[in-house]
Amino acid sequence: MDIDRIIEKAGGADEIAALAGVGLEAVRKWRQSRMVPTKHWPALLRVPGIALQDLTADLTTTETQQEQERETDVSNPCPPGANAALVLADGTVLWGRGFGAHTEGAVGELCFSTGMTGYQETLTDPSFAGQIVTFTFPHIGNVGTNADDNEAPKMAALGAVVKEDITAPASWRSHEPFAAWLRDHGRAGISGIDTRAITRTLRDNGPQTAILAFPENGRIDTDSLLNRARQWPGLEGMDLAKEVTRPKRIWTEGVWHSTKPVRENRRRVVAMDYGAKDNILRCLVTAGCDVTVLPATATAEEILELKPEGVFLSNGPGDPAATGTYAVPAIRKVLDANVPVFGICLGHQLLAQALGGKTYKLERGHRGANQPVKDVETGRVEITSQNHGFAVDEKSLPADVKVTHVSLFDGSNEGIASTTKDAFSVQYHPEASPGPSDSFYLFERFVAVMDRRAKAGA
């Protein structure tokens, strides 16, 4: 077993530090060096499940053998202390320390997220499918993981890039250390990376393809990795909604600890799952909806068969133009049936296409929290959470579609509404609550539209 598994076997960093009679700083250095000093072995051997061969084989012989291989293998220039690499398509090679599941190379679009909290929600957000996430906040993994903070059953992002080594969980809510959680999801992370340098590169040069390698044998061929990164086609033209969508289901769970009263007259809503975050569905329930979730490929006939009072279009990954080949025709038929529509993120982009607009790839995507958005009609500024690399082209919108929200970062579109149909959408994530509840009114607006039509007998 490796050093992380030994620490886990001992019961965590606090327990192993107490066993060895050292401080947590020493344990942190053990993680960096990937070994425990021999003078502490007798204490560890008292732990059930840790044997001498675990300490000698994996932490000495194997690493010595790998080091010898590196010295004689010019295609594996892995420096001492490193066992993983992040290779960018522009030729940049960043060495670091891998954690989580081993991988010969996960290739995707490298992006960064500015959120100071919520790394588990970020990595399980289906909108991050096809992407490797760099966290600008340096201390990631320090509160561990739990069963409640996932936005989907599986981790969607391809990998995590962080600055500091992962420390032991420091939260009463933690069920499992971050590295172990990544292993469970079959994903890798890399630490010891200059995340500020990556952020500047992406800010100045736009999206970059990258590949994250954390091979089990420790041998890293950077030339091969670079070739693989350069061959990846990119997210443009890629439909990922089909990969992250889930089967039809009834959703009944509301927002945790909500103080809002439970509505008696609830509205039947079909939520189209292009990669829906669970908390969006919770918000719909709390706002007063009975929610049936349908997969991304559901037809208009399947949607309308449920006699919805409203249809919700969810967030999701990939190129909206690619997903739109099958989603837009269904949305248009829903609009023609005079059913109210509300969309978020990818759902916003798909609604724009259904109303006659177009989308394009942003030079720099919007990912993270604390992003200001202005409501054009009221002048109110909302602090929002965002995760998108594509946007609606305002110039392509027809005359009967108005702009409702704009980004105060770059002026890109953040919301639209039809002037002839009950249909509106926003680019940002109102359910993520960075404000913390600046934008919940959008769910209430959707329900109010359905209430008004029910009262009018529409």
Side-chain angles (χ1 to χ4, degrees):
M1 66 180 73
D2 62 19
I3 179 62
D4 293 317
R5 287 193 177 277
I6 288 175
I7 292 173
E8 287 176 28
K9 278 284 187 180
D14 289 327
E15 291 295 327
I16 200 170
L19 279 170
V22 300
L24 290 176
E25 177 62 19
V27 177
R28 185 185 70 81
K29 291 180 179 178
W30 296 352
R31 289 183 189 273
Q32 287 183 325
S33 63
R34 312 307 299 168
M35 62 167 44
V36 179
T38 55
K39 65 181 180 180
H40 298 302
W41 288 7
L44 299 187
L45 291 174
R46 294 197 295 267
V47 177
I50 296 180
L52 183 60
Q53 63 185 21
D54 297 322
L55 299 169
T56 57
D58 287 344
L59 294 181
T60 56
T61 305
T62 301
E63 291 195 355
T64 300
Q65 180 180 357
Q66 290 177 357
E67 192 64 37
Q68 292 173 346
E69 291 176 351
R70 292 168 187 162
E71 291 176 358
T72 58
D73 186 355
V74 295
S75 67
N76 185 49
C78 189
N83 61 0
L86 182 70
V87 180
L88 278 60
D90 66 3
T92 301
V93 178
L94 300 170
W95 297 101
R97 294 173 290 279
F99 58 92
H102 288 287
T103 176
E104 294 299 318
V107 60
E109 182 179 276
L110 184 64
C111 65
F112 66 88
S113 176
T114 62
M116 295 177 65
T117 61
Y119 53 83
Q120 189 177 340
E121 293 94 329
T122 295
L123 294 173
T124 54
D125 179 352
S127 294
F128 276 110
Q131 295 177 306
I132 301 170
V133 182
T134 301
F135 290 95
T136 60
F137 187 69
H139 302 290
I140 297 298
N142 55 351
V143 295
T145 62
N146 60 73
D148 297 326
D149 288 351
N150 292 335
E151 288 292 354
K154 297 189 299 183
M155 177 172 159
L158 295 173
V161 181
V162 304
K163 184 178 188 297
E164 300 292 344
D165 287 338
I166 307 302
T167 59
S171 171
W172 64 271
R173 298 181 67 237
S174 177
H175 295 170
E176 186 176 33
F178 184 43
W181 182 83
L182 281 174
R183 279 198 298 272
D184 292 344
H185 287 269
R187 295 288 196 264
I190 184 170
S191 63
I193 299 297
D194 187 346
T195 53
R196 287 188 177 185
I198 291 178
T199 302
R200 286 193 294 268
T201 295
L202 299 178
R203 179 197 66 188
D204 297 339
N205 303 322
Q208 287 276 331
T209 297
I211 184 167
L212 195 168
F214 176 35
E216 189 167 9
N217 63 9
R219 300 181 62 184
I220 299 175
D221 185 342
T222 55
D223 290 337
S224 174
L225 293 173
L226 179 59
N227 288 334
R228 288 178 58 190
R230 289 177 172 171
Q231 290 172 8
W232 194 67
L235 290 180
E236 284 193 81
M238 190 175 291
D239 173 29
L240 294 176
K242 289 180 180 177
E243 296 185 13
V244 298
T245 192
R246 288 178 271 172
K248 177 182 177 180
R249 60 198 187 278
I250 305 298
W251 186 275
T252 59
E253 181 183 310
V255 173
W256 300 327
H257 311 302
S258 174
T259 58
K260 296 182 180 298
V262 177
R263 283 175 50 109
E264 293 184 2
N265 298 321
R266 304 184 67 79
R267 300 302 170 201
R268 296 186 309 278
V269 168
V270 167
M272 295 301 299
D273 180 7
Y274 306 115
K277 293 172 63 177
D278 286 351
N279 206 43
I280 289 180
L281 304 178
R282 295 189 191 103
C283 287
L284 288 170
V285 169
T286 297
C289 302
D290 289 331
V291 181
T292 300
V293 186
L294 293 184
T297 54
T299 64
E301 291 71 24
E302 291 171 323
I303 298 170
L304 296 174
E305 183 180 7
L306 297 174
K307 301 186 183 306
E309 295 175 275
V311 171
F312 172 76
L313 311 177
S314 84
N315 63 293
D319 188 339
T323 304
T325 57
Y326 56 86
V328 167
I331 297 170
R332 283 178 176 156
K333 289 182 180 179
V334 169
L335 292 170
D336 290 341
N338 202 28
V339 177
V341 174
F342 171 37
I344 287 176
C345 196
L346 177 61
H348 162 70
Q349 297 158 357
L350 295 173
L351 177 62
Q353 292 181 62
L355 292 172
K358 296 180 180 180
T359 58
Y360 66 97
K361 187 121 175 32
L362 289 165
E363 289 186 12
R364 299 163 188 81
H366 300 169
R367 298 177 181 90
N370 301 325
Q371 305 210 18
V373 168
K374 181 179 180 179
D375 185 318
V376 175
E377 183 176 341
T378 65
R380 179 187 180 193
V381 175
E382 301 169 33
I383 301 302
T384 71
S385 176
Q386 303 198 18
N387 175 19
H388 61 105
F390 293 81
V392 171
D393 180 2
E394 290 186 357
K395 296 179 181 178
S396 70
L397 295 173
D400 62 350
V401 177
K402 64 180 181 179
V403 172
T404 60
H405 298 76
V406 295
S407 168
L408 294 183
F409 274 167
D410 59 9
S412 61
N413 181 262
E414 294 283 353
I416 61 171
S418 171
T419 59
T420 58
K421 298 180 181 296
D422 285 323
F424 67 99
S425 59
V426 292
Q427 180 64 73
Y428 54 95
H429 283 268
E431 85 293 339
S433 306
S437 56
D438 291 10
S439 308
F440 189 81
Y441 73 91
L442 292 164
F443 295 98
E444 295 172 329
R445 176 183 294 177
F446 182 43
V447 173
V449 169
M450 293 184 282
D451 286 344
R452 172 176 53 78
R453 291 168 63 92
K455 186 175 181 179

